[in-house]
Amino acid sequence: MGSRIKFSNGRRLVDDVIRIAKTFPSAGLYGDFDAGPVTQLRRLTRPKISWNVLYMKAYGIVAARTPELRQCYVGFPRAHLYQHDQVVCMLTIIREFEGENRLFFARFNNPQDENLDELQARYDYLRKAPIEEIKQFRHQIQFAKAPRLLRSLAWWIMFNLWPAKRASHIGTCGMSLSGFKGVYGNQHLGPLTTILGTDALPHKGISRLMLTFDHRVLDGTPAASILQEVHQVLLVEIKQELAELVQFDESNVDELESSPQSKPEASAKVA
């Protein structure tokens, strides 16, 4: 016979997130993009800058320029949109806690305003520091310990009565791993208007990006444009900052900029 296993702290929080995400009319788009020139520069950075950090800053730059990426749907008392005045990126991180691998959600406020090496240092800290030292992770653990009824009430208040607090608690946009070792998902579930999925290890310089979005706030054509703009920011602003980090001279940067780039393509996957 089988045995009954208690729902862990981490699974309770994921259960909350999935239940809320199922109320979102979400759709997904993905595209394969040539990140080759950035790949060449990234190899030379010390410490090496994670692809998550590179795309987080690019995503933050686009979100700061694009009001829709800072908006969220509010259904009470009447349906309307609420627009945040800052970018708060919530990045999913897997950490071991109490004998299991669980998801934590790491908050980065206005990542577009930080240097890549500063973002990388913070990312490394959130990935490696003891869980007990990280305040936002401790809060997630404590919240998951509360009875389900209280957690549901807190979620409802945040989504319907206090949308201004949503940014500080769950972010304005999200990031998560969408592919690894050639295996890709087709959508991310989460209580955010947009979630950018990244490929941890682009193959031969080709990076697959996936954007899951709330169709009440965003439509397919602007969502596709957002993916392309994130890629363009990666190839221009992010690439330039990487070049400065490795102290390339101008001739080397020009040589990298002349590298062939494939045209970005995107195809839709509707949930």
Side-chain angles (χ1 to χ4, degrees):
M1 292 182 64
S3 59
R4 185 174 179 175
I5 301 174
K6 182 181 178 181
F7 222 33
S8 69
N9 183 287
R11 290 294 94 195
R12 284 197 294 271
L13 190 59
V14 170
D15 181 46
D16 285 354
V17 169
I18 297 305
R19 278 190 294 108
I20 295 168
K22 285 185 175 180
T23 68
F24 282 39
S26 298
L29 293 170
Y30 72 85
D32 293 332
F33 300 95
D34 183 4
V38 176
T39 301
Q40 297 175 53
L41 279 170
R42 179 179 172 270
R43 291 195 190 105
L44 301 174
T45 58
R46 296 294 182 273
K48 188 168 289 186
I49 306 298
S50 163
W51 282 105
N52 275 333
V53 168
L54 295 175
Y55 276 117
M56 185 196 308
K57 182 160 184 177
Y59 192 26
I61 290 172
V62 175
R65 298 171 180 170
T66 310
E68 291 85 353
L69 291 179
R70 290 178 281 108
Q71 294 174 356
C72 60
Y73 176 87
V74 182
F76 183 87
R78 294 181 298 275
H80 63 281
L81 300 180
Y82 182 89
Q83 183 169 309
H84 298 277
D85 60 0
Q86 63 174 332
V87 178
V88 182
C89 184
M90 209 61 109
L91 174 65
T92 303
I93 293 179
I94 298 177
R95 295 287 309 268
E96 184 176 342
F97 179 71
E98 294 185 341
E100 71 168 347
N101 289 325
R102 64 165 285 173
L103 302 181
F104 287 96
F105 305 98
R107 184 177 64 253
F108 290 81
N109 296 328
N110 293 313
Q112 74 280 3
D113 295 334
E114 294 193 51
N115 296 328
L116 287 174
D117 51 353
E118 294 171 341
L119 283 173
Q120 184 64 44
R122 177 161 172 75
Y123 178 55
D124 288 340
Y125 172 77
L126 292 168
R127 288 172 53 238
K128 299 174 182 178
I131 299 295
E132 297 76 14
E133 291 184 7
I134 304 173
K135 184 177 180 180
Q136 54 184 291
F137 290 178
R138 294 200 311 268
H139 285 176
Q140 291 170 27
I141 293 167
Q142 291 301 317
F143 180 74
K145 290 180 180 178
R148 178 168 177 171
L149 182 61
L150 289 180
R151 300 199 313 271
S152 297
L153 178 61
W155 285 110
W156 188 90
I157 290 173
M158 184 167 52
F159 273 81
N160 294 281
L161 298 182
W162 209 357
K165 282 294 182 182
R166 283 170 67 168
S168 59
H169 289 289
I170 65 169
T172 60
C173 55
M175 280 189 64
S176 188
L177 192 67
S178 65
F180 187 65
K181 294 185 177 180
V183 179
Y184 298 94
N186 61 4
Q187 195 176 32
H188 288 286
L189 292 175
L192 291 156
T193 297
T194 60
I195 302 175
L196 180 68
T198 60
D199 191 349
L201 299 171
H203 181 63
K204 295 183 178 179
I206 302 300
S207 178
R208 174 164 291 186
L209 297 180
M210 181 173 67
L211 188 71
T212 303
F213 57 96
D214 185 342
H215 227 315
R216 296 169 299 188
V217 181
L218 204 60
D219 293 322
T221 298
S225 297
I226 286 166
L227 272 184
Q228 293 171 331
E229 190 174 352
V230 168
H231 174 63
Q232 190 61 31
V233 168
L234 182 81
L235 292 182
V236 180
E237 285 117 306
I238 303 303
K239 177 168 165 277
Q240 181 60 41
E241 186 174 347
L242 276 176
E244 293 170 0
L245 280 177
V246 298
Q247 298 180 338
F248 263 32
D249 63 34
E250 193 172 321
S251 62
N252 285 330
V253 174
D254 290 341
E255 182 180 345
L256 283 172
E257 286 177 345
S258 65
S259 299
Q261 300 169 10
S262 61
K263 295 182 179 180
E265 298 178 353
S267 54
K269 296 281 186 179
V270 181

